[in-house]
Amino acid sequence: MKLVLLFFYLLVTAIRFGLDWINIRHRQQGRKPLPDIFSGQVDEERLDRSDAYALAGDRVGFVEDIVGVILTLVFLFGGLLPWYDRLIIGFSDNFIVRGLLFFGLLALVQMIIGLPFSLYKNFVLEEKFGFNRMSFKLWCSDLLKSLLIGAVLFCLLVGGVLWLVQLAPQSWWLWVWGFWAIISLFLLYLSPYLIEPLFFKFTPLEKEDLEAEVRDLLEKAGAHAGKVLQVDASRRSGHSNAYFTGIGKVKRVVLFDTLIEQLDNKELLAVLAHELGHWRCGHLRQQLIKSQVVALFSCWLAFTVLNNQILPGWLGLEQLSFAGQVLVLGWLGSLVGFFWTPLSSWWSRRHERQADQFAINMVGSGEELASGLVKLARENLSNLFPHPWYAVFYYSHPPLVERVLWLQRGRVKIKFFAD
Ligand SMILES: [Zn+2]
């Protein structure tokens, strides 16, 4: 069975590398003519820069991937896992302390291995292409804050789960699921107020006319604007975005200051209309339900597999602690989940289409959103020529050229507004 698992892992790895490779080849094999809307925005020089940016990202991604594959092989198949498991067992007799140590130390090691990559990406790669606006000091303070928040959340979540497992050995899967569901809902609603302000500064919109227009749009979409804010994302990166959060009908709209810099008001409103579309079409709710169903199934499956003690045998081991088995199961889950990727990407692209249609209905045409997206692609040096298979597999949004053409053809469909 160990060999079957190894083969399965290598197969997934080969498919991943294969997809990356055809995507790089496709980009290098030449450019197709771009639709008119790109002219004046994206010229040959921009495309060269996009290619160079994508290639630089591919290179560091490749090294990171290889390191990950080697570590996984050594840890799971090279005898490191049983050694580590025994080491942790030697530290403490307490089930919860052991579990926290087991996952905590692993997470710490993983973070340390990731540090050079993070440094390289921010201060070499993003710097070279003019995206990085972060000082080393800010990077360090971000790292410290996320470590602290991560540690608190980790102890709360993992400690809570282990406690529930100990408390209800015959039905923990249901309790664990409920616990996670409550905590993740809590975080979803609270993080804009508790966690994000630790990293970003939220201020009222500086462009006064924009706020009135945003509020108009929200009313028209049936949402009541709580706060309309801009966030100082430009302190860290030149990449841009917009989002909105909130409970029920009261919405908090957040625009990145970089987005306000890059787009004009009409384009900004179209982007916002798209975001409102996700809310009005119930995508956020669907996403939440989907993840909770998956979580419930995963908890039940984990419970069944762990109760039957089949995992140690699969890896050719005599015994493995509870935490060790959970780790192996999580790894197996990520392998199976890989084959699920194209389906969830397709589902996400469908939602993006619906939100785009909603934006067309709100704004009256797709032109504004299309031109906004073209500008964002220009500013973010997006890859305009992904390999179709790669896009089918991974892309959560329709590839830009296709999306822009679709938006320009788009017509207002009034039935969309019916409740
Ligand atoms: Zn969207």
Side-chain angles (χ1 to χ4, degrees), residues 48 51 70-71 80 94 114 118 128 131 145 155 165 228 242 259-260 276 298 309 312 351 355 363 384 396 403 413:
D48 290 341
D51 281 359
I70 292 172
L71 287 177
L80 208 60
N94 185 298
S118 170
K128 185 176 161 198
F131 288 124
K145 280 185 212 162
C155 289
V165 169
V228 182
L259 191 79
I260 302 176
L276 277 165
S298 308
Q309 289 287 333
H351 282 176
V363 180
L384 298 179
S396 59
R403 185 174 178 193
K413 287 183 188 156

Side-chain angles (χ1 to χ4, degrees), residues 274-275 278 351-352 355-356 397 403:
H274 169 97
E275 295 303 323
H278 282 306
H351 282 176
E352 294 304 327
D356 278 351
H397 291 62
R403 185 174 178 193

